[in-house]
Amino acid sequence: MQLPENKQLKENKKNLIIEAASKVFAEKGFSGASIADIAAYAGIGKGTTYEYFDSKEDLFFAVFEWHVEQSSQAATVNITALGGPASDRLSAMNESLMNYFVDKMDIFSLVMEFWAASASSKSREHYKQAFKDTYREFRGIVSSLIQDGIERGEFRSDVDVAAISAGIVGTWDAMFLQGWFDESFDIADTGKKCMAIFLKGLSIK
Amino acid sequence: MQLPENKQLKENKKNLIIEAASKVFAEKGFSGASIADIAAYAGIGKGTTYEYFDSKEDLFFAVFEWHVEQSSQAATVNITALGGPASDRLSAMNESLMNYFVDKMDIFSLVMEFWAASASSKSREHYKQAFKDTYREFRGIVSSLIQDGIERGEFRSDVDVAAISAGIVGTWDAMFLQGWFDESFDIADTGKKCMAIFLKGLSIK
DNA sequence: ACTTTTCGACTGACCGGTCGGTCAAAATAT
DNA sequence: ATATTTTGACCGACCGGTCAGTCGAAAAGT
């Protein structure tokens, strides 16, 4: 089979470019990074980039999707299988996401570039929609866990599940934002304590 | 007195430019906005802009400081005077900030541009420092309120005040982020409910 | 041989920042 | 009161540099 092999190669090079672009965009921002920079970093010619992506915007969006995919995996890994108390699973999810991002704090600058793209890029609506879906997905996962906890009699049933889910998901953004600006801010520790407060508020007593 | 009147005029025009720049930057982002755009929007010549600001970067930073000032006022107004229960004052602060931003949701795109500037602008350290200070200020205000509540016997004393403050302050960012992407997300309502959870977690019982 | 992929020189649009000229009003002289 | 000079805010044409995207030629693959 040649075609798949061909496709495979294509796909590999595409990923190579995306990873290079990810680094360079993270370093210099969307506007600050030039296609020439990215191509040089990837060790290819400038023109080659355009064999795989139609435009700079297009490449940037591909980088975006790639990272959405990655973090979505970090969120769900180790959680879905596990069948213990809901509070344990929420804590596990919390820890998994914290660790994922603390490890790659350097790419958090990209997240801010993506947010900005949702506000003023040419394809802002495209980014907005993708973020909207992603946040919904994350809130959905948390909601299910909370709902499960309620049904097990672990959590109070008079809480607004959607609101708390938004709060918990939001706390992740919040921790990274504050950690980004302040090196002395302990992201993982503060995140854990915030989760504890949420769990205390949810607890049946 | 001639000099102050002169200064006054200067100051007025500076503000005029800042406000125009604020609109245009919010609309098109830092890179997308041209000085020509901004000058046209302000109804002045391009060259005039440079009588008041050294560079585009400089102007953008002025816009940033202007908004930091504004939101800082929105945070503290109605709170410092009031002497009721700490939980009431926290709720008041929550509501004041929510209302301030919900009213001017359109400028939230600027916030994201500022965040991005802290990551990849030429003067990223400048922005980072300013954000660090601002977040510390906000966390400080919340901390004092919580501390006060603990001393009044309103709140439990075995909580990590700094962590909860970070959580509460972070929730504001979080609500606006999620509201930004999703029109059907009720920022004010969800914010209120999250604050309620935090207060429940803090409550002496 | 010929097809596919890679490449980087080139182009044209764009834009930040400069600068010499203009003009109205303030200061000064008569 | 009127004429003359000085000032500096204001302007936009212009310059120099940058960079996304193109394209034809060279290299690699088959």
Side-chain angles (χ1 to χ4, degrees):
Chain A
M1 281 213 263
Q2 276 93 353
L3 204 60
E5 193 185 308
N6 209 332
K7 277 254 171 87
Q8 186 63 30
L9 278 168
K10 269 270 183 192
E11 215 48 43
N12 281 347
K13 188 155 263 182
K14 210 167 176 176
N15 273 338
L16 170 77
I17 297 173
I18 286 177
E19 276 171 64
S22 178
K23 289 272 190 203
V24 180
F25 281 135
E27 180 83 24
K28 308 194 176 190
F30 176 76
S31 293
S34 72
I35 295 289
D37 284 339
I38 293 166
Y41 193 93
I44 60 169
K46 184 181 164 186
T48 308
T49 313
Y50 286 91
E51 298 289 329
Y52 297 87
F53 300 94
D54 289 343
S55 66
K56 194 185 177 185
E57 284 273 352
D58 193 40
L59 171 55
F60 191 60
F61 195 77
V63 173
F64 171 61
E65 283 183 312
W66 191 71
H67 280 289
V68 167
E69 182 58 31
Q70 301 274 312
S71 56
S72 188
Q73 278 174 22
T76 46
V77 91
N78 300 329
I79 282 82
T80 37
L82 221 102
S87 59
D88 285 2
R89 278 180 290 162
L90 276 168
S91 296
M93 185 176 178
N94 188 46
E95 214 139 324
S96 175
L97 272 169
M98 291 286 156
N99 290 339
Y100 173 75
F101 275 115
V102 168
D103 275 2
K104 353 170 90 191
M105 197 61 189
D106 53 314
I107 61 126
F108 190 65
S109 60
L110 263 181
V111 175
M112 291 187 280
E113 288 289 328
F114 296 144
W115 284 341
S118 84
S120 50
S121 125
K122 217 170 297 173
S123 34
R124 59 180 85 180
E125 287 308 328
H126 210 165
Y127 286 93
K128 264 193 156 172
Q129 185 63 47
F131 268 119
K132 178 169 154 177
D133 292 345
T134 306
Y135 277 101
R136 287 206 167 159
E137 184 198 334
F138 274 65
R139 290 197 301 257
I141 297 170
V142 174
S143 284
S144 311
L145 287 175
I146 294 176
Q147 201 62 54
D148 192 42
I150 291 174
E151 275 153 27
R152 288 157 166 257
E154 211 176 313
F155 296 151
R156 329 165 40 116
S157 58
D158 65 340
V159 292
D160 187 322
V161 178
I164 300 184
S165 301
I168 289 175
V169 169
T171 299
W172 294 322
D173 286 333
M175 294 301 106
F176 286 105
L177 264 173
Q178 292 179 62
W180 172 259
F181 298 119
D182 196 336
E183 332 67 54
S184 69
F185 185 94
D186 188 333
I187 297 177
D189 185 58
T190 312
K192 199 179 289 185
K193 284 168 177 162
C194 284
M195 178 56 91
I197 287 280
F198 276 115
L199 291 177
K200 193 180 296 181
L202 277 170
S203 156
I204 202 79
K205 220 234 64 79
Chain B
M1 277 213 264
Q2 280 90 353
L3 203 62
E5 194 185 307
N6 208 331
K7 276 255 173 85
Q8 186 65 30
L9 278 167
K10 269 271 188 193
E11 216 49 43
N12 281 346
K13 186 152 267 180
K14 210 166 174 178
N15 273 338
L16 169 77
I17 297 173
I18 287 176
E19 276 171 62
S22 178
K23 289 272 191 202
V24 180
F25 281 135
E27 180 82 26
K28 307 193 178 190
F30 176 75
S31 294
S34 73
I35 294 289
D37 284 340
I38 294 166
Y41 193 93
I44 62 170
K46 183 181 166 186
T48 308
T49 313
Y50 286 92
E51 299 285 335
Y52 296 87
F53 300 94
D54 289 343
S55 65
K56 192 184 180 186
E57 285 271 352
D58 194 39
L59 171 56
F60 191 60
F61 195 76
V63 173
F64 170 61
E65 282 183 314
W66 191 72
H67 281 289
V68 166
E69 181 59 29
Q70 301 274 314
S71 57
S72 188
Q73 278 174 21
T76 47
V77 91
N78 301 328
I79 283 82
T80 36
L82 220 102
S87 59
D88 284 4
R89 279 181 289 162
L90 277 169
S91 296
M93 186 177 178
N94 189 46
E95 215 140 323
S96 175
L97 272 170
M98 291 285 155
N99 290 339
Y100 173 75
F101 275 115
V102 168
D103 275 2
K104 356 171 89 193
M105 198 60 190
D106 53 315
I107 60 127
F108 191 64
S109 59
L110 264 181
V111 175
M112 290 187 280
E113 287 289 328
F114 296 144
W115 284 341
S118 84
S120 50
S121 127
K122 217 172 297 175
S123 34
R124 58 179 85 179
E125 287 307 328
H126 211 167
Y127 285 94
K128 263 192 158 173
Q129 186 62 47
F131 269 118
K132 179 170 153 178
D133 293 345
T134 306
Y135 277 100
R136 286 205 167 160
E137 185 198 332
F138 275 65
R139 289 197 300 257
I141 297 170
V142 174
S143 284
S144 311
L145 288 174
I146 295 176
Q147 201 61 54
D148 193 41
I150 291 173
E151 273 152 28
R152 288 157 166 258
E154 211 177 311
F155 296 150
R156 330 167 38 120
S157 58
D158 64 341
V159 292
D160 187 322
V161 178
I164 300 184
S165 301
I168 289 175
V169 169
T171 300
W172 294 323
D173 286 333
M175 295 300 106
F176 286 105
L177 265 174
Q178 291 177 64
W180 172 258
F181 298 119
D182 195 337
E183 331 67 55
S184 69
F185 185 93
D186 188 333
I187 297 176
D189 185 59
T190 313
K192 199 179 290 186
K193 283 168 177 162
C194 286
M195 178 57 91
I197 287 281
F198 276 116
L199 292 176
K200 193 180 294 182
L202 277 170
S203 156
I204 201 78
K205 221 237 62 77

